[in-house]
Amino acid sequence: MPRTKTMPTTWMPRAAAVLCAGLLLAGCGSSEGEPKAGSGGDTAPAVDAAALDTGSYPTSPAAEFARATTENIVEVEGQRLAEFTVAPFEIDPELISGKMPTMVMRSGKNLGVVIGGGAGDIAANRNMLYGYVSTAATNTPNVTDPSRSVVNAVLRFGNPEDAAATARELQAQLTTVDDGAGVSTAESVDVLPNTLVSTRETDSSAGRTVSVNALTPHGDYLLYSWAQAPAGQKDWTAKAIAKAVSLQGPLIDAFPAQPTKEQNGGVSAEFPMVDQDKILIYAIPEEDAQARLGDDLAAYGPRGMSHRSTNPPLTHRVLTETGSEHNAVAKTTVYRAADDAGARTIADEFAGDLAAQGFTAAPSPQGLPDAKCVTKDTVRGTEIYCMVVNGRYVGEASGLDDKADVDRQISAQYLILEQADQDA
C-alpha cells in the first residue's frame, strides 16, 4: 500500500495517503443525475452532496498541467526516473521496510545524504543532473536487532565521462577518507568487472556489520548500490550488490530521459508532461510547496509508488495487475485502474493489508457513506485514513489527530472524482 503523509508507521515525512482497512469497498459509480447509493448497495444511504463539508478544499478537477519548464524539469525527471529505479524488494523480497533516503535527488549535493562525506561536492562538481534513490531494510521487532538493508540509486550526468569520473572520485574518497566510521577497503567482484567496490566493517547497536559500496558507470548514469548485513553474512551483501547491478542496467536503458541541449543538437528538446496520463488533475493539491521536496505533485507508476510504500511488493503487484499505470500524489492520492473492477481490487487488497496492521473502522464523513475510514492509535497520535471509490478511480486522504480535516479532504475528493473522465 502507499506511504502516508505524516503517519509514524511510515518512513517518509511527506507522502501520499494510505488506504483504509478491514472494510470491503464497493464501487461508487452511478448514472448521471441519479442519487448515488452507498457502498452497501441500493439499500444503503445515498450520498447527500448538500451535507458534505469540504472546508476550503477544491471540489473540481484542477486545470490541466502543461509541460515541464526549466524551473521544474529536474523534479519531473526525477519523478519519472522512480519507475526505472530498482526497488529494494526486487533485490531481496525481504527488504520491505522503507527507510530514508528514498527520494528524488534534485542536485549532486543530495548525494551527500546518500553516501556522506564529500560525495555531494564530488557529484555537484561533475554536474550531476538529477537522480532517484530508494532504501529499505528487513523487518525486525526492534531497531537494535540485526537486519539487512540496501540503498539503490541512479544518478544522471550530462555525459558518460562525468559519470565515470564521479565513480572514480567517489571510490577514492571511500577508500582514503575516514568519515568517522572508518575507511573502506577496495575490493573486486568477478561478476562485476566494471564496478568499483569497497567494503567496511563497523560496530553498531545491532552488533558487528559489514557494508559494501558499489559504483557502476553506465553511459550517462552512475549506478550506486550499497548493502549492509551482520558481519557473518558478507556473502549476502555481495549477492545483493550483484543482483542490484544486473537488474538496474537493463531497467535504466528503458528510461526515456529528456535529452540535454547538447545531446539534442544544441537546441532544447520538448519537455515531458508534468501530469502523465492526466491523473494529477484529480488529486487535491498540496498547499505547502516546500512540503513536496520534489516527490509530491507527481504521477508515479507501480514501481514508483512502491518505493514510497509500507508494503512495496503488494503495491507494485496490485497496481500492475489492475492497470493503474499512473497514480497521482499530492495532498491526496488518486489511482485510476483499467476498469471498475480494478479499482475495487485496489481498495480490497490494500484494505486487507491495513486490517492486518490493526486499523479499525471509523465513522464516514457526514453525507458520504461511500467513504470508508479507519483509525489506529500510535505513539504519535491517532492515524486516520479515508478512501472513496468511483468507477475506475480510487481516492485517498489521511491525517493525524484531526478526523474532521480528513473528512473534509475525502469529501472534496469525492466531488472531484464525480467529474473525472471514466473513459480516459
Side-chain angles (χ1 to χ4, degrees), residues 375-393:
T375 65
K376 180 180 179 181
D377 290 334
T378 73
V379 293
R380 286 186 58 192
T382 301
E383 299 178 21
I384 308 104
Y385 305 123
C386 290
M387 183 178 67
V388 67
V389 179
N390 187 314
R392 296 168 56 199
Y393 294 85

PDB file of all heavy atoms in Angstrom, residues 375-393:
ATOM      1  N   THR A 375      -9.009   4.101  11.789  1.00  0.00           N
ATOM      2  CA  THR A 375      -8.081   4.779  12.691  1.00  0.00           C
ATOM      3  C   THR A 375      -7.214   3.753  13.414  1.00  0.00           C
ATOM      4  O   THR A 375      -7.548   2.563  13.492  1.00  0.00           O
ATOM      5  CB  THR A 375      -8.811   5.620  13.751  1.00  0.00           C
ATOM      6  OG1 THR A 375      -9.558   4.741  14.608  1.00  0.00           O
ATOM      7  CG2 THR A 375      -9.731   6.629  13.111  1.00  0.00           C
ATOM      8  N   LYS A 376      -6.133   4.268  13.951  1.00  0.00           N
ATOM      9  CA  LYS A 376      -5.267   3.445  14.798  1.00  0.00           C
ATOM     10  C   LYS A 376      -4.494   4.381  15.711  1.00  0.00           C
ATOM     11  O   LYS A 376      -3.906   5.368  15.266  1.00  0.00           O
ATOM     12  CB  LYS A 376      -4.295   2.623  13.946  1.00  0.00           C
ATOM     13  CG  LYS A 376      -3.363   1.731  14.759  1.00  0.00           C
ATOM     14  CD  LYS A 376      -2.426   0.952  13.850  1.00  0.00           C
ATOM     15  CE  LYS A 376      -1.481   0.084  14.654  1.00  0.00           C
ATOM     16  NZ  LYS A 376      -0.534  -0.671  13.770  1.00  0.00           N
ATOM     17  N   ASP A 377      -4.504   4.077  17.008  1.00  0.00           N
ATOM     18  CA  ASP A 377      -3.743   4.869  17.962  1.00  0.00           C
ATOM     19  C   ASP A 377      -2.276   4.454  17.914  1.00  0.00           C
ATOM     20  O   ASP A 377      -1.953   3.258  17.935  1.00  0.00           O
ATOM     21  CB  ASP A 377      -4.291   4.668  19.379  1.00  0.00           C
ATOM     22  CG  ASP A 377      -5.660   5.295  19.558  1.00  0.00           C
ATOM     23  OD1 ASP A 377      -5.957   6.262  18.831  1.00  0.00           O
ATOM     24  OD2 ASP A 377      -6.432   4.812  20.411  1.00  0.00           O
ATOM     25  N   THR A 378      -1.391   5.451  17.845  1.00  0.00           N
ATOM     26  CA  THR A 378       0.043   5.201  17.791  1.00  0.00           C
ATOM     27  C   THR A 378       0.739   6.101  18.794  1.00  0.00           C
ATOM     28  O   THR A 378       0.112   6.946  19.452  1.00  0.00           O
ATOM     29  CB  THR A 378       0.588   5.484  16.377  1.00  0.00           C
ATOM     30  OG1 THR A 378       0.610   6.903  16.157  1.00  0.00           O
ATOM     31  CG2 THR A 378      -0.268   4.823  15.306  1.00  0.00           C
ATOM     32  N   VAL A 379       2.046   5.967  18.883  1.00  0.00           N
ATOM     33  CA  VAL A 379       2.795   6.786  19.839  1.00  0.00           C
ATOM     34  C   VAL A 379       2.757   8.256  19.469  1.00  0.00           C
ATOM     35  O   VAL A 379       2.974   9.124  20.324  1.00  0.00           O
ATOM     36  CB  VAL A 379       4.260   6.309  19.940  1.00  0.00           C
ATOM     37  CG1 VAL A 379       4.327   4.929  20.554  1.00  0.00           C
ATOM     38  CG2 VAL A 379       4.942   6.332  18.574  1.00  0.00           C
ATOM     39  N   ARG A 380       2.488   8.561  18.225  1.00  0.00           N
ATOM     40  CA  ARG A 380       2.440   9.965  17.805  1.00  0.00           C
ATOM     41  C   ARG A 380       1.035  10.531  17.814  1.00  0.00           C
ATOM     42  O   ARG A 380       0.852  11.728  17.640  1.00  0.00           O
ATOM     43  CB  ARG A 380       3.019  10.118  16.395  1.00  0.00           C
ATOM     44  CG  ARG A 380       4.525   9.995  16.333  1.00  0.00           C
ATOM     45  CD  ARG A 380       5.027  10.310  14.941  1.00  0.00           C
ATOM     46  NE  ARG A 380       4.638  11.639  14.515  1.00  0.00           N
ATOM     47  CZ  ARG A 380       4.739  12.089  13.267  1.00  0.00           C
ATOM     48  NH1 ARG A 380       5.219  11.282  12.323  1.00  0.00           N
ATOM     49  NH2 ARG A 380       4.380  13.305  12.953  1.00  0.00           N
ATOM     50  N   GLY A 381       0.039   9.693  17.986  1.00  0.00           N
ATOM     51  CA  GLY A 381      -1.333  10.150  17.959  1.00  0.00           C
ATOM     52  C   GLY A 381      -2.200   9.175  17.192  1.00  0.00           C
ATOM     53  O   GLY A 381      -1.811   8.038  16.932  1.00  0.00           O
ATOM     54  N   THR A 382      -3.377   9.651  16.811  1.00  0.00           N
ATOM     55  CA  THR A 382      -4.332   8.800  16.108  1.00  0.00           C
ATOM     56  C   THR A 382      -4.223   9.015  14.608  1.00  0.00           C
ATOM     57  O   THR A 382      -4.409  10.129  14.109  1.00  0.00           O
ATOM     58  CB  THR A 382      -5.771   9.106  16.564  1.00  0.00           C
ATOM     59  OG1 THR A 382      -5.870   8.888  17.973  1.00  0.00           O
ATOM     60  CG2 THR A 382      -6.761   8.208  15.840  1.00  0.00           C
ATOM     61  N   GLU A 383      -3.915   7.947  13.904  1.00  0.00           N
ATOM     62  CA  GLU A 383      -3.858   7.991  12.453  1.00  0.00           C
ATOM     63  C   GLU A 383      -5.261   7.800  11.896  1.00  0.00           C
ATOM     64  O   GLU A 383      -6.010   6.945  12.361  1.00  0.00           O
ATOM     65  CB  GLU A 383      -2.953   6.889  11.915  1.00  0.00           C
ATOM     66  CG  GLU A 383      -1.520   6.974  12.383  1.00  0.00           C
ATOM     67  CD  GLU A 383      -0.690   5.815  11.857  1.00  0.00           C
ATOM     68  OE1 GLU A 383      -1.102   5.205  10.858  1.00  0.00           O
ATOM     69  OE2 GLU A 383       0.367   5.540  12.443  1.00  0.00           O
ATOM     70  N   ILE A 384      -5.604   8.593  10.911  1.00  0.00           N
ATOM     71  CA  ILE A 384      -6.911   8.482  10.259  1.00  0.00           C
ATOM     72  C   ILE A 384      -6.710   8.352   8.768  1.00  0.00           C
ATOM     73  O   ILE A 384      -5.949   9.123   8.173  1.00  0.00           O
ATOM     74  CB  ILE A 384      -7.811   9.712  10.534  1.00  0.00           C
ATOM     75  CG1 ILE A 384      -7.917   9.995  12.034  1.00  0.00           C
ATOM     76  CG2 ILE A 384      -9.185   9.501   9.910  1.00  0.00           C
ATOM     77  CD1 ILE A 384      -7.083  11.164  12.481  1.00  0.00           C
ATOM     78  N   TYR A 385      -7.367   7.382   8.154  1.00  0.00           N
ATOM     79  CA  TYR A 385      -7.340   7.206   6.712  1.00  0.00           C
ATOM     80  C   TYR A 385      -8.764   7.096   6.203  1.00  0.00           C
ATOM     81  O   TYR A 385      -9.599   6.435   6.815  1.00  0.00           O
ATOM     82  CB  TYR A 385      -6.595   5.926   6.320  1.00  0.00           C
ATOM     83  CG  TYR A 385      -5.202   5.825   6.856  1.00  0.00           C
ATOM     84  CD1 TYR A 385      -4.831   4.734   7.649  1.00  0.00           C
ATOM     85  CD2 TYR A 385      -4.270   6.802   6.577  1.00  0.00           C
ATOM     86  CE1 TYR A 385      -3.541   4.640   8.145  1.00  0.00           C
ATOM     87  CE2 TYR A 385      -2.975   6.703   7.068  1.00  0.00           C
ATOM     88  CZ  TYR A 385      -2.620   5.619   7.853  1.00  0.00           C
ATOM     89  OH  TYR A 385      -1.346   5.532   8.345  1.00  0.00           O
ATOM     90  N   CYS A 386      -9.049   7.725   5.102  1.00  0.00           N
ATOM     91  CA  CYS A 386     -10.353   7.581   4.449  1.00  0.00           C
ATOM     92  C   CYS A 386     -10.141   7.347   2.966  1.00  0.00           C
ATOM     93  O   CYS A 386      -9.177   7.847   2.371  1.00  0.00           O
ATOM     94  CB  CYS A 386     -11.213   8.826   4.631  1.00  0.00           C
ATOM     95  SG  CYS A 386     -11.795   9.080   6.325  1.00  0.00           S
ATOM     96  N   MET A 387     -11.053   6.599   2.350  1.00  0.00           N
ATOM     97  CA  MET A 387     -10.965   6.299   0.931  1.00  0.00           C
ATOM     98  C   MET A 387     -12.350   6.251   0.319  1.00  0.00           C
ATOM     99  O   MET A 387     -13.333   5.908   0.982  1.00  0.00           O
ATOM    100  CB  MET A 387     -10.254   4.967   0.712  1.00  0.00           C
ATOM    101  CG  MET A 387     -10.054   4.623  -0.752  1.00  0.00           C
ATOM    102  SD  MET A 387      -9.152   3.080  -0.956  1.00  0.00           S
ATOM    103  CE  MET A 387     -10.357   1.934  -0.312  1.00  0.00           C
ATOM    104  N   VAL A 388     -12.411   6.604  -0.952  1.00  0.00           N
ATOM    105  CA  VAL A 388     -13.651   6.506  -1.703  1.00  0.00           C
ATOM    106  C   VAL A 388     -13.338   5.970  -3.098  1.00  0.00           C
ATOM    107  O   VAL A 388     -12.299   6.300  -3.674  1.00  0.00           O
ATOM    108  CB  VAL A 388     -14.361   7.879  -1.784  1.00  0.00           C
ATOM    109  CG1 VAL A 388     -13.587   8.881  -2.619  1.00  0.00           C
ATOM    110  CG2 VAL A 388     -15.796   7.726  -2.276  1.00  0.00           C
ATOM    111  N   VAL A 389     -14.215   5.112  -3.612  1.00  0.00           N
ATOM    112  CA  VAL A 389     -14.060   4.526  -4.940  1.00  0.00           C
ATOM    113  C   VAL A 389     -15.135   5.091  -5.845  1.00  0.00           C
ATOM    114  O   VAL A 389     -16.306   5.185  -5.458  1.00  0.00           O
ATOM    115  CB  VAL A 389     -14.178   2.984  -4.880  1.00  0.00           C
ATOM    116  CG1 VAL A 389     -14.037   2.372  -6.265  1.00  0.00           C
ATOM    117  CG2 VAL A 389     -13.138   2.413  -3.941  1.00  0.00           C
ATOM    118  N   ASN A 390     -14.762   5.477  -7.048  1.00  0.00           N
ATOM    119  CA  ASN A 390     -15.721   5.995  -8.017  1.00  0.00           C
ATOM    120  C   ASN A 390     -15.353   5.435  -9.389  1.00  0.00           C
ATOM    121  O   ASN A 390     -14.403   5.903 -10.019  1.00  0.00           O
ATOM    122  CB  ASN A 390     -15.695   7.525  -8.041  1.00  0.00           C
ATOM    123  CG  ASN A 390     -16.812   8.104  -8.911  1.00  0.00           C
ATOM    124  OD1 ASN A 390     -17.038   7.650 -10.031  1.00  0.00           O
ATOM    125  ND2 ASN A 390     -17.504   9.098  -8.389  1.00  0.00           N
ATOM    126  N   GLY A 391     -16.082   4.411  -9.832  1.00  0.00           N
ATOM    127  CA  GLY A 391     -15.790   3.804 -11.118  1.00  0.00           C
ATOM    128  C   GLY A 391     -14.381   3.255 -11.144  1.00  0.00           C
ATOM    129  O   GLY A 391     -14.011   2.400 -10.342  1.00  0.00           O
ATOM    130  N   ARG A 392     -13.556   3.769 -12.051  1.00  0.00           N
ATOM    131  CA  ARG A 392     -12.173   3.314 -12.190  1.00  0.00           C
ATOM    132  C   ARG A 392     -11.232   3.996 -11.202  1.00  0.00           C
ATOM    133  O   ARG A 392     -10.052   3.650 -11.132  1.00  0.00           O
ATOM    134  CB  ARG A 392     -11.668   3.602 -13.605  1.00  0.00           C
ATOM    135  CG  ARG A 392     -12.387   2.852 -14.716  1.00  0.00           C
ATOM    136  CD  ARG A 392     -11.995   3.434 -16.069  1.00  0.00           C
ATOM    137  NE  ARG A 392     -10.548   3.417 -16.273  1.00  0.00           N
ATOM    138  CZ  ARG A 392      -9.910   4.174 -17.175  1.00  0.00           C
ATOM    139  NH1 ARG A 392     -10.588   5.014 -17.939  1.00  0.00           N
ATOM    140  NH2 ARG A 392      -8.601   4.080 -17.311  1.00  0.00           N
ATOM    141  N   TYR A 393     -11.721   4.962 -10.453  1.00  0.00           N
ATOM    142  CA  TYR A 393     -10.864   5.790  -9.611  1.00  0.00           C
ATOM    143  C   TYR A 393     -10.951   5.417  -8.132  1.00  0.00           C
ATOM    144  O   TYR A 393     -12.017   5.044  -7.628  1.00  0.00           O
ATOM    145  CB  TYR A 393     -11.238   7.265  -9.767  1.00  0.00           C
ATOM    146  CG  TYR A 393     -10.957   7.834 -11.134  1.00  0.00           C
ATOM    147  CD1 TYR A 393     -11.883   7.689 -12.164  1.00  0.00           C
ATOM    148  CD2 TYR A 393      -9.765   8.495 -11.401  1.00  0.00           C
ATOM    149  CE1 TYR A 393     -11.628   8.206 -13.430  1.00  0.00           C
ATOM    150  CE2 TYR A 393      -9.500   9.012 -12.654  1.00  0.00           C
ATOM    151  CZ  TYR A 393     -10.431   8.867 -13.668  1.00  0.00           C
ATOM    152  OH  TYR A 393     -10.179   9.375 -14.916  1.00  0.00           O
TER     153      TYR A 393
END
